[in-house]
Amino acid sequence: MKYFIFIITLFTFISCDPGYAYYISNNSEKDIYVYTNPPIKVYDKSINRTKLIDSATINPKETFIIYSNIGGGGGGEESFPFNKIRIKKNNDSIVLKNKSEINSKFNQNRKKRLFSTSYTIIVN
């Protein structure tokens, strides 16, 4: 019976797809604004479901999760839902015009763990 439980537990961990998350981190002293195409899906506690938003404001020294998923290939260009991202700060903007540019920018701060991977754009 011990071996049976061990094998079932092992199979459960092996068969689980890893999770991944994409973050935008504001390391500056002022708010930044994130615009995406298509809009960002966020969970709204007040209506107990997800809703679409045109833009997100990220306060200084805060990090915003722009997208996350479990499985589905483990991240990368194919699974990322946005075609364009614009991050506006002060009088400057970071514009990522296609999935290749977006993927390249997120991969600059990629952290891989045992069961998850995170991708972060850091704005100074």
Side-chain angles (χ1 to χ4, degrees), residues 68-85:
S68 67
N69 202 353
I70 296 175
E77 274 184 57
E78 305 80 36
S79 61
F80 195 70
F82 303 112
N83 301 317
K84 183 178 181 180
I85 295 177

Side-chain angles (χ1 to χ4, degrees), residues 10-47:
L10 183 63
F11 180 73
T12 301
F13 282 114
I14 291 172
S15 65
C16 289
D17 290 331
Y20 55 96
Y22 290 84
Y23 299 94
I24 297 178
S25 184
N26 182 3
N27 285 355
S28 72
E29 299 298 324
K30 296 192 176 191
D31 290 349
I32 62 172
Y33 306 92
V34 178
Y35 305 89
T36 63
N37 180 11
I40 303 167
K41 284 183 185 178
V42 294
Y43 182 76
D44 187 337
K45 293 177 190 173
S46 66
I47 59 174

Side-chain angles (χ1 to χ4, degrees), residues 9 35 43 101 106 117:
T9 304
Y35 305 89
Y43 182 76
E101 286 183 10
F106 272 109
T117 303

Side-chain angles (χ1 to χ4, degrees), residues 74 105-113 117-120:
K105 188 72 171 172
F106 272 109
N107 272 320
Q108 290 176 0
N109 292 300
R110 179 178 175 221
K111 292 184 181 156
K112 191 161 177 70
R113 295 178 182 84
T117 303
S118 66
Y119 304 86
T120 306

